Amino acid sequence: GAGVSQSPRYKVAKRGQDVALRCDPISGHVSLFWYQQALGQGPEFLTYFQNEAQLDKSGLPSDRFFAERPEGSVSTLKIQRTQQEDSAVYLCASSSQDTSNQPQHFGDGTRLSIL
Amino acid sequence: KQEVTQIPAALSVPEGENLVLNCSFTDSAIYNLQWFRQDPGKGLTSLLLIQSSQREQTSGRLNASLDKSSGRSTLYIAASQPGDSATYLCAVRGNFNKFYFGSGTKLNVKP
């Protein structure tokens, strides 16, 4: 497809379960970002990849959160031992090489609900 | 840490009005500022991107300005339409490709 694709669109899990969220960026986009968006708030930065290298993971809220992009294209955000406070929309964005003058393109997000 | 604030949080106007949305940021050391639109249950759609060296950008009925030294940006929407109803978010890019978002302005344009 032409845009950023995220799956699943909705995920419901019980507290304590592990979840994996997938992001397919726009083909050829080097940079990939994950954000967490709480209801009524703007997205909060989680982590950033350039190709397969995770250059910044300072926004990950705890060591239960882990992201990877092993081949520099598809990325997975994994949350272990989920907690209720992890409930949010998780957004993925990609951009081409030079992000100083290229916009970020967002997927529609995965809405995660922890029961 | 960079703080981005958007005022007002919500705005309701009749169709046809011109309107201004405000965005302010605390650290003027930014690379660019981007305005987005977000529809319910959807991701963000980029509207305008202003580089730090630029003062404004225009696209159709939208005009965004940037005053980096004072930490302010405005998004001007001319002749508003019901289809413009959405949440508008601004984001600034700081060092190391960190992007900081405001909480958004929820716009309702009444027919």
Side-chain angles (χ1 to χ4, degrees):
Chain A
V4 178
S5 177
Q6 291 188 246
S7 60
R9 286 296 319 277
Y10 303 93
K11 177 70 178 176
V12 180
K14 293 182 179 178
R15 188 164 58 93
Q17 288 183 330
D18 299 348
V19 298
L21 313 179
R22 177 186 169 105
C23 173
D24 281 86
I26 293 173
S27 178
H29 276 195
V30 168
S31 299
L32 186 145
F33 304 83
W34 282 99
Y35 294 88
Q36 181 188 61
Q37 186 175 25
L39 190 64
Q41 299 296 313
E44 293 274 347
F45 171 86
L46 293 177
T47 187
Y48 159 60
F49 289 86
Q50 187 157 6
N51 295 306
E52 69 279 3
Q54 188 175 21
L55 299 186
D56 188 340
K57 55 182 181 179
S58 61
L60 296 176
S62 76
D63 59 6
R64 297 186 295 104
F65 287 70
F66 172 75
E68 61 183 6
R69 193 186 185 198
E71 297 178 359
S73 55
V74 171
S75 177
T76 304
L77 176 67
K78 297 179 180 178
I79 309 174
Q80 298 175 326
R81 304 181 304 281
T82 51
Q83 305 288 323
Q84 284 192 319
E85 62 263 28
D86 300 335
S87 296
V89 175
Y90 290 85
L91 294 166
C92 175
S94 70
S95 66
S96 54
Q97 177 116 26
D98 183 355
T99 57
S100 66
N101 60 14
Q102 295 297 322
Q104 293 185 78
H105 299 268
F106 281 78
D108 285 343
T110 294
R111 183 175 298 275
L112 176 64
S113 298
I114 305 300
L115 304 179
Chain B
K1 180 188 172 186
Q2 175 78 267
E3 299 286 342
V4 181
T5 303
Q6 290 188 246
I7 294 173
L11 183 62
S12 185
V13 300
E15 181 177 5
E17 273 203 9
N18 302 325
L19 55 99
V20 175
L21 308 181
N22 296 291
C23 172
S24 62
F25 45 96
T26 54
D27 185 350
S28 62
I30 65 169
Y31 288 88
N32 62 45
L33 183 144
Q34 198 167 353
W35 281 94
F36 294 88
R37 169 190 173 131
Q38 187 172 33
D39 292 284
K42 296 290 188 180
L44 282 65
T45 301
S46 179
L47 298 173
L48 291 165
L49 183 147
I50 311 177
Q51 299 298 335
S52 61
S53 58
Q54 297 175 322
R55 297 286 292 185
E56 65 177 340
Q57 282 286 332
T58 298
S59 176
R61 294 183 293 108
L62 305 179
N63 175 275
S65 68
L66 174 63
D67 184 343
K68 199 174 84 159
S69 61
S70 68
R72 294 181 182 181
S73 176
T74 60
L75 179 67
Y76 175 82
I77 303 177
S80 58
Q81 303 171 356
D84 294 332
S85 298
T87 296
Y88 291 81
L89 294 146
C90 72
V92 297
R93 181 197 168 208
N95 288 330
F96 310 112
N97 270 333
K98 277 272 188 69
F99 288 84
Y100 300 89
F101 282 81
S103 295
T105 293
K106 188 172 183 179
L107 174 65
N108 178 35
V109 181
K110 297 172 288 187

Coordinates of all heavy atoms in Angstrom, one line a residue, chain A residues 9 31 33 35 37 40-45 48 50 56 58-59 91 98-109 111, chain B residues 1 31-32 34 36 38 40-46 49-52 89 91 93 95-104:
Chain A
R9 N -5.8 -3.3 14.3 CA -6.3 -1.9 14.6 C -6.8 -1.8 16.1 O -6.7 -0.8 16.7 CB -7.5 -1.7 13.7 CG -7.2 -1.4 12.2 CD -6.4 -0.1 12.1 NE -6.8 1.0 12.9 CZ -7.8 1.9 12.7 NH1 -8.5 1.7 11.6 NH2 -8.1 2.8 13.5
S31 N 13.4 6.4 8.2 CA 13.1 6.7 9.6 C 11.7 6.2 10.1 O 10.8 6.2 9.3 CB 13.1 8.2 9.8 OG 14.4 8.7 9.5
F33 N 9.1 5.9 13.6 CA 8.9 6.4 15.0 C 7.7 5.7 15.6 O 6.7 5.4 14.9 CB 8.5 7.9 15.0 CG 9.6 8.8 14.3 CD1 9.6 8.9 12.9 CD2 10.5 9.4 15.1 CE1 10.5 9.7 12.3 CE2 11.4 10.3 14.5 CZ 11.5 10.4 13.1
Y35 N 4.8 6.2 18.8 CA 4.3 7.1 19.7 C 3.1 6.4 20.5 O 2.5 5.5 20.0 CB 3.7 8.3 19.0 CG 4.6 9.2 18.3 CD1 5.0 9.0 16.9 CD2 5.2 10.3 18.9 CE1 5.9 9.8 16.3 CE2 6.1 11.2 18.2 CZ 6.4 10.9 16.9 OH 7.3 11.7 16.2
Q37 N -0.4 7.5 22.4 CA -1.4 8.6 22.5 C -2.5 8.3 23.5 O -3.3 7.4 23.2 CB -2.0 9.0 21.1 CG -2.9 10.3 21.2 CD -3.3 10.7 19.8 OE1 -3.5 9.9 18.9 NE2 -3.6 12.0 19.7
G40 N -7.5 12.2 24.4 CA -7.5 13.6 24.6 C -6.1 14.3 24.7 O -6.1 15.5 25.0
Q41 N -5.1 13.5 24.4 CA -3.7 14.1 24.5 C -3.0 14.0 23.1 O -3.5 13.2 22.3 CB -2.9 13.3 25.5 CG -3.5 13.4 26.9 CD -3.5 14.8 27.5 OE1 -2.5 15.6 27.3 NE2 -4.6 15.3 28.0
G42 N -2.0 14.7 23.0 CA -1.2 14.5 21.8 C -0.3 13.3 21.9 O -0.1 12.8 23.0
P43 N 0.3 12.8 20.8 CA 1.2 11.7 20.9 C 2.4 12.0 21.7 O 3.0 13.1 21.6 CB 1.5 11.4 19.4 CG 0.4 12.1 18.6 CD 0.0 13.3 19.4
E44 N 2.9 11.0 22.4 CA 4.1 11.1 23.2 C 5.2 10.1 22.5 O 4.9 9.0 22.3 CB 3.9 10.6 24.6 CG 3.0 11.6 25.4 CD 3.8 12.7 26.0 OE1 5.1 12.7 26.0 OE2 3.2 13.7 26.5
F45 N 6.4 10.7 22.3 CA 7.4 9.9 21.6 C 7.8 8.7 22.5 O 8.0 8.8 23.7 CB 8.6 10.8 21.4 CG 9.9 10.2 21.0 CD1 10.1 9.9 19.6 CD2 10.8 9.7 21.9 CE1 11.3 9.3 19.2 CE2 12.0 9.1 21.5 CZ 12.2 8.9 20.2
Y48 N 12.7 5.7 18.2 CA 13.0 6.1 16.8 C 14.1 5.1 16.2 O 15.1 4.8 16.9 CB 13.5 7.5 16.9 CG 14.4 8.0 15.7 CD1 13.8 8.0 14.4 CD2 15.7 8.4 15.8 CE1 14.6 8.4 13.3 CE2 16.4 8.8 14.7 CZ 15.9 8.8 13.5 OH 16.6 9.2 12.4
Q50 N 16.5 4.4 12.7 CA 16.9 4.8 11.3 C 17.4 3.5 10.7 O 18.4 2.9 11.2 CB 18.0 5.9 11.4 CG 18.4 6.4 10.0 CD 19.1 7.7 10.1 OE1 19.3 8.3 11.1 NE2 19.3 8.3 8.9
D56 N 17.1 6.0 19.4 CA 16.6 6.7 20.6 C 15.5 5.8 21.1 O 14.5 5.6 20.4 CB 16.1 8.1 20.2 CG 15.8 8.9 21.4 OD1 15.5 8.4 22.5 OD2 15.7 10.2 21.3
S58 N 14.5 6.6 24.5 CA 14.3 7.3 25.7 C 12.9 7.5 26.2 O 12.6 7.7 27.3 CB 15.0 8.7 25.7 OG 14.4 9.5 24.7
G59 N 12.0 7.4 25.2 CA 10.6 7.6 25.6 C 9.8 6.3 26.0 O 8.7 6.4 26.5
L91 N 0.8 4.8 17.9 CA 0.9 5.3 16.5 C 2.3 5.0 16.0 O 3.3 5.2 16.7 CB 0.6 6.8 16.4 CG -0.8 7.2 16.8 CD1 -0.9 8.7 17.0 CD2 -1.8 6.8 15.6
D98 N 15.9 12.5 5.2 CA 16.2 13.7 5.8 C 15.0 14.3 6.5 O 14.2 15.0 5.8 CB 16.8 14.8 4.8 CG 17.2 16.0 5.5 OD1 17.0 16.2 6.7 OD2 17.7 16.9 4.8
T99 N 14.8 14.0 7.8 CA 13.5 14.4 8.4 C 13.5 15.9 8.7 O 12.5 16.4 9.2 CB 13.3 13.6 9.7 OG1 14.5 13.9 10.6 CG2 13.2 12.2 9.5
S100 N 14.5 16.6 8.5 CA 14.5 18.1 8.7 C 13.5 18.8 7.8 O 13.0 19.8 8.1 CB 15.9 18.7 8.7 OG 16.4 18.7 7.4
N101 N 13.4 18.2 6.6 CA 12.5 18.8 5.6 C 11.4 17.9 5.0 O 10.8 18.2 4.1 CB 13.2 19.5 4.5 CG 14.1 18.6 3.7 OD1 13.9 17.4 3.8 ND2 15.0 19.1 2.9
Q102 N 11.3 16.7 5.7 CA 10.3 15.8 5.2 C 9.3 15.5 6.3 O 9.6 15.4 7.4 CB 10.9 14.5 4.8 CG 11.9 14.6 3.6 CD 11.1 15.0 2.4 OE1 10.0 14.6 2.1 NE2 11.8 15.8 1.6
P103 N 8.0 15.5 5.9 CA 7.0 15.3 7.0 C 6.9 13.9 7.4 O 7.4 13.0 6.7 CB 5.7 15.7 6.3 CG 6.0 15.4 4.8 CD 7.4 15.8 4.6
Q104 N 6.4 13.7 8.6 CA 6.1 12.3 9.1 C 4.8 11.9 8.5 O 3.8 12.7 8.5 CB 6.1 12.3 10.6 CG 7.4 12.6 11.3 CD 7.3 12.4 12.7 OE1 7.3 11.3 13.3 NE2 7.2 13.5 13.4
H105 N 4.7 10.6 8.2 CA 3.5 10.0 7.7 C 3.0 9.0 8.7 O 3.8 8.1 9.0 CB 3.7 9.4 6.3 CG 4.1 10.3 5.3 ND1 3.2 11.0 4.4 CD2 5.3 10.7 4.9 CE1 3.9 11.8 3.6 NE2 5.2 11.7 3.9
F106 N 1.8 9.1 9.2 CA 1.3 8.3 10.3 C 0.4 7.2 9.8 O -0.4 7.4 8.8 CB 0.5 9.1 11.3 CG 1.4 9.9 12.2 CD1 2.0 11.1 11.8 CD2 1.6 9.4 13.5 CE1 2.9 11.8 12.7 CE2 2.4 10.1 14.4 CZ 3.1 11.3 14.0
G107 N 0.4 6.1 10.5 CA -0.6 5.0 10.4 C -1.8 5.4 11.2 O -1.8 6.4 11.9
D108 N -2.9 4.6 11.1 CA -4.1 4.8 11.8 C -4.0 4.4 13.3 O -5.0 4.6 14.1 CB -5.3 4.2 11.1 CG -5.7 4.9 9.9 OD1 -5.3 6.1 9.7 OD2 -6.5 4.3 9.1
G109 N -3.0 3.7 13.7 CA -2.8 3.3 15.0 C -3.4 2.0 15.4 O -4.2 1.4 14.7
R111 N -5.4 0.6 18.8 CA -6.0 0.9 20.0 C -5.9 -0.3 21.0 O -6.5 -1.3 20.7 CB -7.4 1.3 19.8 CG -8.1 1.8 21.1 CD -9.5 2.3 20.9 NE -9.5 3.4 20.0 CZ -9.4 4.7 20.4 NH1 -9.2 4.9 21.7 NH2 -9.4 5.7 19.5
Chain B
K1 N 12.9 20.1 29.2 CA 12.2 19.3 28.2 C 11.2 20.3 27.5 O 10.6 21.2 28.1 CB 11.3 18.2 28.9 CG 10.5 17.4 27.9 CD 9.6 16.4 28.6 CE 8.7 15.8 27.6 NZ 7.6 14.9 28.3
Y31 N 14.0 22.5 14.8 CA 14.4 22.3 13.4 C 13.2 22.6 12.5 O 13.4 23.1 11.4 CB 14.9 20.9 13.1 CG 16.3 20.6 13.7 CD1 16.4 20.2 15.0 CD2 17.4 20.9 12.9 CE1 17.7 20.0 15.6 CE2 18.7 20.7 13.5 CZ 18.8 20.2 14.8 OH 20.0 20.0 15.3
N32 N 12.0 22.2 12.9 CA 10.8 22.5 12.1 C 9.6 22.4 13.0 O 9.7 21.9 14.2 CB 10.7 21.6 10.9 CG 10.6 20.1 11.2 OD1 9.8 19.8 12.0 ND2 11.3 19.3 10.4
Q34 N 5.4 21.3 12.6 CA 4.4 20.6 11.7 C 3.0 20.7 12.3 O 2.9 20.5 13.5 CB 4.9 19.2 11.5 CG 4.3 18.5 10.3 CD 5.0 17.2 10.0 OE1 6.0 16.8 10.6 NE2 4.5 16.4 9.0
F36 N -0.8 19.1 12.0 CA -1.5 17.9 11.6 C -3.0 18.0 11.9 O -3.4 18.8 12.7 CB -1.0 16.7 12.5 CG 0.4 16.3 12.3 CD1 1.4 16.8 13.0 CD2 0.8 15.3 11.3 CE1 2.8 16.5 12.9 CE2 2.1 14.9 11.2 CZ 3.1 15.5 11.9
Q38 N -6.2 15.4 12.8 CA -6.5 14.0 13.3 C -8.1 13.9 13.3 O -8.7 14.6 14.1 CB -5.9 13.7 14.6 CG -6.1 12.2 15.0 CD -5.3 11.8 16.3 OE1 -5.1 12.6 17.2 NE2 -4.9 10.5 16.3
P40 N -11.4 11.4 14.2 CA -11.7 10.3 15.2 C -11.3 9.0 14.8 O -11.7 8.5 13.7 CB -13.2 10.5 15.5 CG -13.5 11.9 15.1 CD -12.6 12.2 14.0
G41 N -10.5 8.2 15.6 CA -10.1 6.9 15.3 C -9.1 6.7 14.2 O -8.9 5.6 13.7
K42 N -8.5 7.8 13.8 CA -7.5 7.8 12.7 C -6.2 8.3 13.1 O -6.0 8.9 14.2 CB -8.0 8.7 11.5 CG -9.3 8.3 10.9 CD -9.1 7.0 10.1 CE -10.3 6.6 9.3 NZ -10.1 5.4 8.5
G43 N -5.2 8.1 12.3 CA -3.9 8.6 12.5 C -3.8 10.1 12.2 O -4.9 10.8 12.0
L44 N -2.6 10.6 12.1 CA -2.4 12.1 11.9 C -2.1 12.3 10.4 O -1.3 11.6 9.8 CB -1.3 12.6 12.7 CG -1.5 12.9 14.2 CD1 -1.9 11.7 15.0 CD2 -0.3 13.6 14.8
T45 N -2.7 13.3 9.8 CA -2.5 13.7 8.5 C -1.7 15.0 8.5 O -2.1 16.0 9.1 CB -3.8 13.9 7.7 OG1 -4.5 12.7 7.7 CG2 -3.5 14.3 6.2
S46 N -0.5 15.0 7.8 CA 0.3 16.2 7.8 C -0.4 17.3 6.9 O -0.8 17.0 5.8 CB 1.7 15.9 7.2 OG 2.5 17.1 7.2
L49 N 4.3 21.9 6.9 CA 5.6 21.8 7.7 C 6.3 23.1 7.4 O 6.5 23.5 6.3 CB 6.4 20.6 7.2 CG 7.7 20.3 7.9 CD1 8.0 18.8 8.0 CD2 8.9 21.0 7.2
I50 N 6.8 23.7 8.5 CA 7.6 25.0 8.4 C 9.0 24.7 8.9 O 9.1 24.3 10.1 CB 6.9 26.1 9.2 CG1 5.4 26.2 8.9 CG2 7.6 27.4 8.9 CD1 4.8 27.3 9.8
Q51 N 10.0 24.9 8.1 CA 11.3 24.8 8.6 C 11.7 26.0 9.5 O 11.0 27.0 9.4 CB 12.3 24.8 7.4 CG 12.1 23.7 6.4 CD 12.3 22.3 7.0 OE1 13.0 22.2 8.0 NE2 11.7 21.3 6.4
S52 N 12.7 25.8 10.3 CA 13.0 26.8 11.3 C 13.4 28.1 10.7 O 13.3 29.2 11.3 CB 14.1 26.3 12.3 OG 15.3 26.1 11.5
L89 N -3.3 19.3 15.6 CA -2.2 19.1 16.5 C -1.0 19.8 15.8 O -0.8 19.8 14.6 CB -1.8 17.7 16.7 CG -2.9 16.8 17.4 CD1 -3.0 15.4 16.9 CD2 -2.6 16.8 18.9
A91 N 3.3 20.0 16.2 CA 4.5 19.3 16.7 C 5.8 20.0 16.3 O 5.9 20.5 15.2 CB 4.5 17.9 16.2
R93 N 10.0 19.7 16.1 CA 11.2 18.7 16.0 C 12.4 19.4 16.7 O 12.8 20.4 16.3 CB 11.5 18.4 14.6 CG 12.7 17.4 14.5 CD 13.3 17.3 13.2 NE 14.6 16.5 13.3 CZ 15.6 16.7 12.5 NH1 15.6 17.6 11.5 NH2 16.7 16.0 12.6
N95 N 16.2 18.3 19.0 CA 17.4 17.6 18.7 C 17.2 16.1 18.6 O 16.2 15.6 19.2 CB 18.5 17.8 19.8 CG 19.0 19.2 19.7 OD1 19.1 19.8 18.6 ND2 19.4 19.8 20.8
F96 N 18.0 15.4 17.9 CA 18.0 13.9 17.8 C 16.7 13.4 17.4 O 16.3 12.3 17.8 CB 18.4 13.3 19.2 CG 19.6 13.9 19.8 CD1 19.6 14.7 20.9 CD2 20.9 13.7 19.2 CE1 20.7 15.3 21.5 CE2 22.0 14.3 19.7 CZ 21.9 15.1 20.9
N97 N 16.1 14.1 16.4 CA 14.8 13.6 15.8 C 13.7 13.4 16.9 O 12.8 12.6 16.6 CB 15.0 12.4 15.0 CG 15.3 12.7 13.6 OD1 15.0 13.7 13.1 ND2 16.1 11.8 13.0
K98 N 13.7 14.1 18.0 CA 12.6 14.1 18.9 C 11.5 15.0 18.5 O 11.8 16.2 18.2 CB 13.1 14.5 20.3 CG 13.8 13.4 21.1 CD 12.8 12.7 21.9 CE 13.4 11.7 22.9 NZ 14.1 12.4 24.0
F99 N 10.3 14.5 18.4 CA 9.2 15.3 18.1 C 8.3 15.5 19.3 O 8.0 14.5 20.0 CB 8.4 14.7 17.0 CG 9.1 14.8 15.6 CD1 10.0 13.8 15.3 CD2 8.8 15.8 14.7 CE1 10.7 13.9 14.1 CE2 9.5 15.9 13.5 CZ 10.4 14.9 13.2
Y100 N 7.8 16.7 19.6 CA 7.0 17.0 20.7 C 5.7 17.6 20.3 O 5.7 18.5 19.5 CB 7.7 18.0 21.7 CG 9.0 17.6 22.2 CD1 10.2 17.8 21.5 CD2 9.1 16.9 23.4 CE1 11.4 17.4 21.9 CE2 10.4 16.4 23.9 CZ 11.5 16.7 23.1 OH 12.7 16.3 23.6
F101 N 4.6 17.0 20.7 CA 3.3 17.4 20.3 C 2.5 18.2 21.4 O 2.7 17.9 22.6 CB 2.4 16.1 20.0 CG 2.7 15.5 18.7 CD1 3.8 14.6 18.5 CD2 1.9 15.7 17.6 CE1 4.1 14.0 17.3 CE2 2.2 15.1 16.4 CZ 3.3 14.3 16.2
G102 N 1.6 19.1 20.9 CA 0.7 19.7 21.8 C -0.5 18.7 22.0 O -0.6 17.6 21.3
S103 N -1.5 19.1 22.8 CA -2.6 18.3 23.1 C -3.7 18.4 22.1 O -4.7 17.7 22.1 CB -3.2 18.5 24.5 OG -2.2 18.1 25.5
G104 N -3.6 19.4 21.2 CA -4.5 19.6 20.1 C -5.6 20.6 20.4 O -5.9 20.9 21.6

